[in-house]
Amino acid sequence: MLRRLLAGCLAGGLLVQSVAALTCPPDVGGPVVGRTPVSTELSGRAAAAANGAEVLEDAFYALAVLQDSYFVAVNGTWPSSIDWTGAVVETVVSGMLTTLTRSLSSNNPGSDVDWKQKENLISSVYAQVVHSFFGQDALAIANQAYDDMLWVVLGWLEATSFVRLHSELHYPGTGHDCNHLPIQLGQAMQTSSWQGYSWLCTFADRARAFWDLASVGWDTKLCHGGMTWNPRLTPYKNAITNELWISASIAMYQHFPNDTFEPSWAAAKGFAAKDPVYLAAAVEGYSWLKGVNMTNQQGLYVDGYHIDGTKPGNVECDQRDETVYTYNQGVILTGQRGLWSVTGSASYLEEGHRLIKSVINATGWDLGKNTPVDPPGGGLQPWRGIGRGGILEDQCDASGTCSQDAQAFKGIFFHHLTAFCAPIEPIVDDGMTVNMQKYRNVEATHAQTCRAYLGWVKHNVDGALETRDGAGRFGMWWGAGARTSGVLTERDDDISHMAPKSTDYRNKGTPQDKIWGENKWEPGSKTVKLPCHGLANGPRDLRREASADPADPNNRGRGRTVETQVGGLALLRAYWELS
């Protein structure tokens, strides 16, 4: 259904009228208007697809494939996802809605017919986001690890951001304060001119509820602070949970600055009573993360710290796990951007750009020359720390051994890169003054630095587009284009999988030993089976439907999934927004 709506808008050039020749995306298995079928076209046009209209078109098409192939309206979920990856999917889809409404606002809406088609497209996607609120298993997530809870917070905050923006751009005068109080129907109708705004407080309440639940994970007894990953395992303070805590907290402060807390609650958490709790939590969390030394010699975030239990009375983070995952380099970017917006301290932006440059360098890309460090050849390019050949990569990609968790990681990185590099605007509260000259300098430097990343992002876009199958579904290993065979294992992927002090638990689960403890954690997994359209023929298995070519490197392991599709969408959106 969504692909048909996109076809109508794109064929008429309605989404971005300043871009000529936007044409319809193909309907898989059916006729194509204005383009050759994806299955015969992808390889030939991937190198040029990251330009202007085609990137926007590819992003819209990736969204359509994501929703038409993986979202099931019967239960309002992406049923092949697991709880936390489903929250990530909702986050990226909500972010794409923001991109859609900005694209519409950049031009005169035109005729009533044009506007109806545009609004119908956005409302159709938004309706699925609203439906996913009820499909989300909130009760189950409330009993999971603290990072799982915080993915939910970020997801619904992203949705509230879209709601506010869409209302401001297209329905002036919409809006009311939630303050977590019941809203009378009559009052809502009087104050809201866009029907979608009525869900804002519902989304906000869930974000607040899960932030409250996750706050229990903040602990000062071990390591002098920091979030604990999982309450049912041996204490482990990892990067992702703390990055999520920082980013979710500062986003809560930005979206709900008038929220109130009991003074005793804030005091019990060790947060400064003189500061709003969300801001204090974000600042304290960031200070702890910086002070605990969670980055390696390449400037990349490693996974986390254990507390050596063999030392009597030990409370220090003194056993560092050196494993590097792509998503650990991304989530903190939203926190850094938010902290800069609130405090005006340029150090947050500087540290964010430093991290991004470290990531780009560790993929084997020369930012100065805007080209890969290693020239392309016939074989596998050398591993550079978090990628090869200038393309971002997790350590499981080349061998096709990624778990469902890891399949979501690269999309998470690019979603938060997009948030970090958004154009900056001064946020001035009552009584504040802004040095406009300094602000303009920061604004220009930030924008210029983000534009310098475009060549690298485009290079990743080109690689990712090459992984799409005939149905438009993205693969996991974006650097697979140079490979002519899918036969590649951990023995010959140029990665040291047995490196000391490194445990790839996100793909292989936690070992049962004196460091990780007796309770074992396994990465989430599901059989990738989805109902057919209309549910008439029962479930179909998409794992081996992804590609008919047994030599396809992206047809191994879990194959193409909802997580790999949302990764492609997040990447394409990042390129469009940064440019």
Side-chain angles (χ1 to χ4, degrees):
M1 182 193 80
L2 185 54
R3 267 175 279 192
R4 289 195 294 272
L5 286 171
L6 284 168
C9 283
L10 289 171
L14 301 176
L15 288 176
V16 181
Q17 297 172 5
S18 61
V19 181
L22 278 182
T23 54
C24 298
D27 197 6
V28 177
V32 180
V33 180
R35 295 177 61 178
T36 55
V38 169
S39 57
T40 59
E41 179 194 20
L42 286 180
S43 180
R45 68 184 286 269
N51 293 310
E54 291 190 5
V55 162
L56 186 58
E57 181 183 348
D58 282 326
F60 294 152
Y61 178 53
L63 173 65
V65 171
L66 173 69
Q67 296 303 90
D68 285 355
S69 297
Y70 296 105
F71 184 82
V72 175
V74 170
N75 53 13
T77 64
W78 300 269
S80 59
S81 68
I82 49 180
D83 289 330
W84 84 266
T85 66
V88 170
V89 176
E90 180 270 312
T91 306
V92 174
V93 171
S94 295
M96 188 60 191
L97 279 170
T98 294
T99 292
L100 277 168
T101 195
R102 279 181 179 151
S103 297
L104 300 185
S105 70
S106 63
N107 297 283
N108 190 304
S111 69
D112 290 341
V113 174
D114 289 353
W115 173 248
K116 287 178 181 178
Q117 289 182 342
K118 294 174 180 180
E119 178 63 22
N120 193 31
L121 172 63
I122 286 187
S123 294
S124 296
V125 181
Y126 179 63
Q128 293 175 331
V129 170
V130 172
H131 200 177
S132 74
F133 178 89
F134 299 98
Q136 189 173 67
D137 194 345
L139 183 61
I141 301 172
N143 290 286
Q144 294 172 11
Y146 298 120
D147 59 336
D148 299 299
M149 302 173 193
L150 290 166
W151 293 116
V152 174
V153 177
L154 287 183
W156 295 114
L157 290 178
E158 191 74 46
T160 63
S161 294
F162 158 71
V163 169
R164 285 193 174 102
L165 179 64
H166 189 67
S167 299
E168 291 169 3
L169 293 177
H170 306 293
Y171 299 89
T174 296
H176 53 79
D177 292 328
C178 296
N179 292 325
H180 306 286
L181 296 175
I183 297 176
Q184 299 298 322
L185 179 60
Q187 177 188 2
M189 294 301 293
Q190 292 171 9
T191 58
S192 176
S193 58
W194 179 51
Q195 56 83 20
Y197 203 96
S198 62
W199 292 103
L200 181 127
C201 298
T202 303
F203 299 158
D205 280 340
R206 180 160 291 180
R208 167 69 194 270
F210 275 87
W211 189 89
D212 285 352
L213 288 170
S215 69
V216 178
W218 181 262
D219 162 63
T220 56
K221 296 178 181 178
L222 300 173
C223 307
H224 313 288
M227 287 287 290
T228 301
W229 168 43
N230 193 316
R232 285 164 290 280
L233 299 175
T234 299
Y236 183 54
K237 300 203 172 183
N238 59 0
I240 194 60
T241 309
N242 283 279
E243 292 180 9
L244 283 163
W245 174 247
I246 295 162
S247 296
S249 296
I250 196 61
M252 288 291 288
Y253 176 77
Q254 290 175 290
H255 289 286
F256 308 109
N258 295 322
D259 211 345
T260 57
F261 294 84
E262 291 293 331
S264 58
W265 189 97
K269 292 293 175 185
F271 300 137
K274 65 180 181 180
D275 295 326
V277 169
Y278 295 131
L279 176 58
V283 170
E284 180 68 15
Y286 192 81
S287 176
W288 180 87
L289 185 63
K290 280 190 63 180
V292 79
N293 185 26
M294 200 85 79
T295 53
N296 63 15
Q297 291 183 344
Q298 289 186 287
L300 304 175
Y301 276 94
V302 300
D303 193 72
Y305 272 103
H306 299 278
I307 296 90
D308 188 350
T310 65
K311 302 175 183 177
N314 183 41
V315 297
E316 302 298 331
C317 278
D318 52 5
Q319 291 183 320
R320 197 172 84 166
D321 192 293
E322 301 293 325
T323 308
V324 173
Y325 298 111
T326 56
Y327 75 156
N328 280 339
Q329 323 311 317
V331 174
I332 190 60
L333 296 174
T334 290
Q336 290 165 325
R337 175 56 191 270
L339 284 165
W340 176 82
S341 297
V342 170
T343 68
S345 175
S347 63
Y348 293 116
L349 287 182
E350 293 166 359
E351 288 159 9
H353 282 297
R354 191 177 305 126
L355 174 60
I356 295 168
K357 291 174 182 177
S358 294
V359 170
I360 294 173
N361 182 65
T363 66
W365 182 265
D366 188 327
L367 262 179
K369 298 179 180 178
N370 225 17
T371 186
V373 172
D374 303 296
L380 187 69
Q381 292 171 308
W383 179 251
R384 293 298 181 184
I386 198 166
R388 68 186 88 221
I391 294 180
L392 190 67
E393 184 178 324
D394 276 292
Q395 295 184 19
C396 57
D397 284 6
S399 58
T401 57
C402 293
S403 68
Q404 188 160 8
D405 291 55
Q407 283 194 318
F409 288 175
K410 295 197 298 293
I412 291 169
F413 172 83
F414 278 102
H415 174 80
H416 291 277
L417 174 65
T418 302
F420 180 82
C421 276
I424 62 178
E425 299 175 357
I427 301 176
V428 184
D429 294 329
D430 292 340
M432 291 179 60
T433 59
V434 175
N435 184 319
M436 291 307 297
Q437 181 178 355
K438 289 185 178 180
Y439 160 72
R440 295 299 180 194
N441 290 339
V442 172
E443 178 189 38
T445 301
H446 178 70
Q448 181 179 7
T449 306
C450 284
R451 282 195 298 270
Y453 307 145
L454 279 172
W456 175 73
V457 176
K458 179 185 182 298
H459 184 64
N460 279 264
V461 167
D462 291 343
L465 289 177
E466 290 282 1
T467 71
R468 294 188 299 183
D469 65 2
R473 294 188 289 259
F474 283 86
M476 177 70 194
W477 185 21
W478 298 341
R483 298 289 300 176
T484 58
S485 172
V487 180
L488 189 68
T489 69
E490 289 185 349
R491 293 190 299 272
D492 49 13
D493 63 3
D494 195 41
I495 301 172
S496 177
H497 292 281
M498 299 301 292
K501 300 181 181 179
S502 296
T503 306
D504 186 12
Y505 70 103
R506 281 293 180 180
N507 289 298
K508 301 175 182 178
T510 59
Q512 293 172 295
D513 57 25
K514 64 180 181 180
I515 295 178
W516 288 90
E518 295 300 319
N519 293 331
K520 185 172 179 61
W521 178 87
E522 293 282 0
S525 63
K526 270 190 179 182
T527 301
V528 186
K529 289 186 177 181
L530 305 177
C532 289
H533 291 291
L535 303 177
N537 300 314
R540 60 193 175 103
D541 191 342
L542 289 179
R543 283 185 61 173
R544 294 297 165 230
E545 192 180 318
S547 172
D549 183 2
D552 178 359
N554 278 292
N555 198 33
R556 300 167 299 155
R558 301 191 72 253
R560 292 169 173 84
T561 66
V562 63
E563 288 84 14
T564 62
Q565 186 65 23
V566 84
L569 173 60
L571 171 61
L572 287 167
R573 177 178 175 247
Y575 184 75
W576 173 255
E577 290 285 354
L578 265 66
S579 62

